[in-house]
Each structure stands twice: as C-alpha cells, then as structure tokens.
Amino acid sequence: MTSPDIIIAIDGYSSTGKSSFAKLLAKELDFLYLDSGALYRGVTLFAQEQGYITADNVISPELEQALQTLDLHFSSDNSCFIGERCIEKEIRSMKVSSQVSPIATVPYIRSWVDCLLHRFASCGRVVMDGRDIGTTVFPDAQIKIFMTASEQVRARRRYDELLAKGQNPDLEEVKANLKERDYIDSHRETSPLARAEDSFLLDNSDMTLKEEVEWVKGLIRGRFLLYD
Ligand code: CDP
C-alpha cells in the first residue's frame, strides 16, 4: 500500500504492544519508526548511571544541565544509543522500568524529549509511539490510535518478552510495575496519558499483530480514499 506522507501517533497503556505494532506498521508503509518511550528510558539509564536519581526517586536538579550534552539517538535498525554505546538491553531492564515513570513526570525532561522527537520526525512519514504523541507531541497527526488490552494479557506479554531476552522476570513484579506506571503516567500534571478525542481505539487483547496492521491500513485507506 502506498501511503501519503503522514504522521501516525500511537498512544496507550504500558505493554499494550505499541512498539511491535508501530515497528511492523512502519516497515510495511516504509515509514520511520520512533519509540518515544526508549528516549525516556535512555534518560532514566543515564540518570541512574551518573547518579542523578536516588533509589527513592529524588532527581538532582543538575540533570537538566547534563541533558544539554547527552547524545541519545537511534540507529537505522531502531536501537537506542548513548553516543557510540548501544543501550537497548539496559533500557528494557526492570531496573530502568522501575524509575522511568517518575523521570517522565519532570517537565524539562519532557520538553527535552519532545524537541528530539520533532527533530527526528522532521522528514514526515513517521510512526511514533508513546503516551502523549497524539495529545501533546503531534496533536495534528493525521492518524491517531489509542491502544489498550486486558491487564492479564499485557503482563503476560511483558513477562514473555523479558524471558525471551534472557532475563529472569517475576510475573507479580511485572504486573505491579505495569500498574504503577499506568497510574503515574495517567495522573501526572504534564501531558498525562489520555486518549485523544480524535483517536481510534484499538483493543488488541485478542488480535494478532497482522490483524492490527490490516486494521490500521483500512483506516488509512478510508481516510485518504486509497484503492490499492
Ligand atoms: O513499552 P512500555 O509500554 O513498557 O513503555 P515505553 O513506551 O517504553 O515507555 C516507558 C515509560 O516512559 C512510560 O511508562 C512512561 O512513563 C514514559 N513515556 C512517557 O511518559 N511519554 C511517552 N511519550 C513515552 C513514554
């Protein structure tokens, strides 16, 4: 399918499969994929390693200045890097998951990430996923999707993902982390997770990735009157 140059914004709760869906969709449409959550995770890893965040989530004000020289970016295969170092494995760990939502409540960190996203997306033809893409980062995105799935399905998916990556997850810990992040993400003051009024709802509890992609292609065809 040949799609027009548009921005597709995908938001939703933790572990609803946003990244896998967004990645496959971008591949099929020949779009750029941008994982905004990876940037919040990258900032979290940086803050942890450099001592800008304590175990009880006290964030040093010096982090703001340090961000000015932080080189956080993606490679062509969507892996996240700090400078030359690939940080994909570290940013998906439970250690980073346990502090990313407090980090993502901080307004100057959100502005810093938003700036990066705008810079990376300047070419158009982008699929981006996160929590506030359709509401704050790209409120004019032509297609907005809000993803959800049952708690059980989401926890199981994240558990299996961590297992496949060679980690040793605990299902109850995974469940508690998803719950906690959803709560913090939906209740923070700056850009809380919320469904954009003009978004399409996608509950993928009982859908395959392929079905999800076909569904959104149908939306694009309908909206732009494409017939191929
Ligand atoms: O993949 P998962 O659902 O675990 O989350 P993620 O997309 O990697 O995002 C990790 C965390 O970053 C979220 O729980 C949010 O706290 C934060 N985030 C955000 O606040 N705004 C975004 N646009 C993306 C992520």
Side-chain angles (χ1 to χ4, degrees), residues 13-15 18 36-37 40-41 92 100-101 104 110 130-133 158 181 185 188:
Y13 296 104
S14 304
S15 287
K18 297 183 298 295
S36 65
Y40 287 101
R41 287 173 178 274
R92 311 292 166 190
V100 62
S101 287
R110 302 204 68 80
R131 301 291 187 287
D132 61 342
I133 307 301
R158 181 51 46 99
R181 281 197 290 131
D185 294 345
R188 68 179 171 227

Side-chain angles (χ1 to χ4, degrees), residues 63-81:
L63 176 60
E64 183 166 13
Q65 183 64 28
L67 285 183
Q68 302 316 312
T69 52
L70 175 62
D71 173 19
L72 190 59
H73 61 270
F74 295 105
S75 60
S76 53
D77 71 349
N78 301 313
S79 298
C80 196
F81 278 71

Side-chain angles (χ1 to χ4, degrees), residues 78-103:
N78 301 313
S79 298
C80 196
F81 278 71
I82 290 182
E84 307 267 287
R85 173 184 165 214
C86 179
I87 54 167
E88 261 310 303
K89 188 160 176 249
E90 292 85 340
I91 60 172
R92 311 292 166 190
S93 66
M94 282 307 289
K95 184 168 182 220
V96 166
S97 294
S98 70
Q99 293 200 298
V100 62
S101 287
I103 281 277

